[in-house]
Amino acid sequence: MANVESMIVDEKPKDVRPAIDREKTCPLLLRVFCSSSGRHHSMSEYSHGNTPANELQIYTWLDATLKELTSLIRDVNPETRKKGTYFDFALVFPDNRPNAYRMREIGVTCSGQKGADDNKTLAQAKFQIGDYLDINITSRGKDQMRNDRRDRDRDRDRDRDNRDIRDRDHRDRRPY
Amino acid sequence: MVVEKSRSEKEKEEKSSKRRSRSTSSNDSSSSDSSSSSSSSSSSSSSSSTSSSSSGGDRRKRRERGSRSKSRSVRKGGESKDRKEKSRERGRQSPGRRTRSRSTSVRRKRYERSPTPKPTRIHIGRLTRNVTKDHVLEIFSNYGEIKSIDFPTDRYHPQNGRGFCYVEYLNADDAENAMKHMDGGQIDGTEVAVAPVNNPKPMQMMRRSPMRRGGMPPNRNNNRWRGGGRDMQNRRRSPIRRSPRRRVSRSPIRRRHSNSSSSSR
């Protein structure tokens, strides 16, 4: 019997695409919808061809990173420039059911901090031209967290130290 | 990215436009001759084929010269000889696309294959979801006046397009111009593909097919029947019209020998 060993095949880098020449390539239109309410827009806002209210139109390329997009949004919205503001990126794309859209999170950045998703490009996030970008902007400094939650749901004060993940699910859990 | 047309096609175009202008001017003087020229069309074409064609076996070359014979027979001999030489050159490059003489619409007895019409309709593919019919109208009206745009939309999301569309121009030159400029060009960050589409033939060609009796598909379905399918339809469906032509078209071989001396010119 031959001695068969497992071998590691040299992994090709995921993004094999050649670098996009921004001078020669036509930019694509990226429609961005920001939400400062602490969570992403609901899918009902996108159904039937509607779009949420405040739209940002960005002309960019497929090799744009999340950090680059974050800086563009900060340029436009001065209130998001504070350090510690989290930007949750999600793609919104049409479903194969009539008039329905789906949302898929692709990363988080934070102003003033280096994150793992900073250099993630739209291409790496499997973005298709025509998808919308839904950004949930939250400022998650400790004090602000407390203030926000007090506004939203008074009964959650005892969860003061919890991270935001649980806040998002607060509809699913009964406080008592 | 501009797609360069082949030089031969450009030459052909220039020459075909010249030829067309000449034929219109000469037709005025020759209206009386039209009946006689039709009868002599076969003879003049055969004579032309003897004089200018070296290869007897190239039926396609001869066929095209014959189809232009109607307009040519009307002109003076000197001119026609010039054109024969030019046509010989052209014939070697790409025989299928030369003849455009419109005066032979009815009388083209011997040649079964009508010339491929130049397309006025183009297919544009690889469009993104952001591109709408208005965008296409704006971009492609640069190349000529648009007759119509067919922009099918996604079934489940009617505000999005399906990623392709058809644009029809008023004349074929504009369509070619648009193709030349926009095929491989970029719209909304992606390269689009622009290609010609053969114009759908009118409905009557489908009449005899038993499968389609009673429910004629709309015009759009005819788009799918590209050029090859269309010719095949003709051969299958209307043999009564077609076969006599074929039979006649074989006769030049015989007639050439018989009529070589009786050139009307």
Side-chain angles (χ1 to χ4, degrees), chain B residues 216-229:
Chain B
M216 296 296 285
N219 231 5
R220 194 186 296 176
N221 286 345
N222 284 357
N223 280 341
R224 301 200 197 120
W225 300 68
R226 298 297 176 89

Side-chain angles (χ1 to χ4, degrees), chain B:
Chain B
M1 193 164 121
V2 172
V3 173
E4 283 284 320
K5 274 171 29 178
S6 65
R7 249 192 69 235
S8 58
E9 282 204 26
K10 279 194 196 140
E11 284 176 359
K12 257 184 279 154
E13 274 194 8
E14 293 166 31
K15 286 169 187 164
S16 65
S17 56
K18 277 189 220 147
R19 204 177 355 110
R20 243 178 282 144
S21 54
R22 259 185 247 128
S23 69
T24 48
S25 56
S26 57
N27 273 346
D28 300 331
S29 53
S30 66
S31 50
S32 56
D33 288 348
S34 53
S35 52
S36 59
S37 61
S38 64
S39 55
S40 65
S41 64
S42 50
S43 55
S44 59
S45 68
S46 56
S47 63
S48 68
S49 49
T50 40
S51 54
S52 56
S53 159
S54 49
S55 62
D58 193 337
R59 290 182 64 214
R60 214 183 275 166
K61 259 198 249 173
R62 239 186 296 124
R63 179 169 52 213
E64 283 162 343
R65 248 176 254 123
S67 64
R68 280 201 313 276
S69 67
K70 177 120 194 334
S71 41
R72 215 194 303 131
S73 65
V74 169
R75 296 185 208 112
K76 294 184 188 158
E79 274 191 23
S80 63
K81 269 196 205 132
D82 264 357
R83 220 162 295 114
K84 273 179 234 162
E85 286 170 358
K86 278 191 224 159
S87 67
R88 209 184 330 149
E89 285 169 49
R90 242 177 303 158
R92 288 206 194 103
Q93 285 168 358
S94 159
R97 293 185 52 117
R98 284 192 286 147
T99 56
R100 300 258 3 239
S101 55
R102 293 187 177 90
S103 50
T104 58
S105 50
V106 181
R107 303 310 183 34
R108 221 182 302 129
K109 310 192 282 258
R110 63 165 67 206
Y111 304 114
E112 70 277 16
R113 183 173 175 267
S114 53
T116 308
K118 281 199 169 178
T120 58
R121 207 172 150 115
I122 56 177
H123 162 96
I124 304 158
R126 298 212 208 116
L127 297 172
T128 67
R129 273 199 291 273
N130 286 326
V131 179
T132 66
K133 187 174 180 174
D134 292 330
H135 291 139
V136 170
L137 176 69
E138 188 184 327
I139 294 171
F140 284 86
S141 57
N142 264 328
Y143 306 106
E145 197 178 327
I146 292 181
K147 184 173 166 192
S148 66
I149 300 183
D150 184 14
F151 195 87
T153 54
D154 188 42
R155 230 182 325 164
Y156 296 132
H157 299 272
Q159 67 278 6
N160 296 335
R162 261 195 232 167
F164 62 91
C165 70
Y166 295 94
V167 169
E168 188 164 358
Y169 285 92
L170 281 183
N171 57 36
D173 294 331
D174 292 342
E176 240 179 293
N177 198 19
M179 273 190 278
K180 188 164 89 146
H181 283 93
M182 285 307 296
D183 187 26
Q186 296 182 27
I187 300 179
D188 195 29
T190 44
E191 264 190 38
V192 297
V194 183
V197 169
N198 286 330
N199 296 330
K201 257 210 148 178
M203 298 294 237
Q204 48 100 15
M205 80 179 230
M206 313 262 273
R207 195 176 34 204
R208 294 161 66 126
S209 165
M211 290 197 317
R212 282 176 192 78
R213 199 175 290 147
M216 296 296 285
N219 231 5
R220 194 186 296 176
N221 286 345
N222 284 357
N223 280 341
R224 301 200 197 120
W225 300 68
R226 298 297 176 89
R230 190 172 45 141
D231 286 343
M232 286 188 335
Q233 302 290 321
N234 287 340
R235 255 179 255 136
R236 256 188 292 154
R237 291 299 169 40
S238 43
I240 297 174
R241 270 196 301 138
R242 294 299 190 192
S243 49
R245 283 195 207 177
R246 263 194 224 115
R247 272 185 245 126
V248 171
S249 71
R250 282 191 205 111
S251 61
I253 300 172
R254 294 196 294 274
R255 278 203 213 146
R256 181 176 55 181
H257 298 313
S258 62
N259 285 347
S260 58
S261 57
S262 65
S263 166
S264 55
R265 277 183 250 133

Side-chain angles (χ1 to χ4, degrees), chain A residues 106-123:
Chain A
I106 57 175
V108 186
T109 63
C110 180
S111 36
Q113 285 178 24
K114 290 207 176 144
D117 298 326
D118 280 356
N119 293 325
K120 191 171 196 182
T121 67
L122 290 176

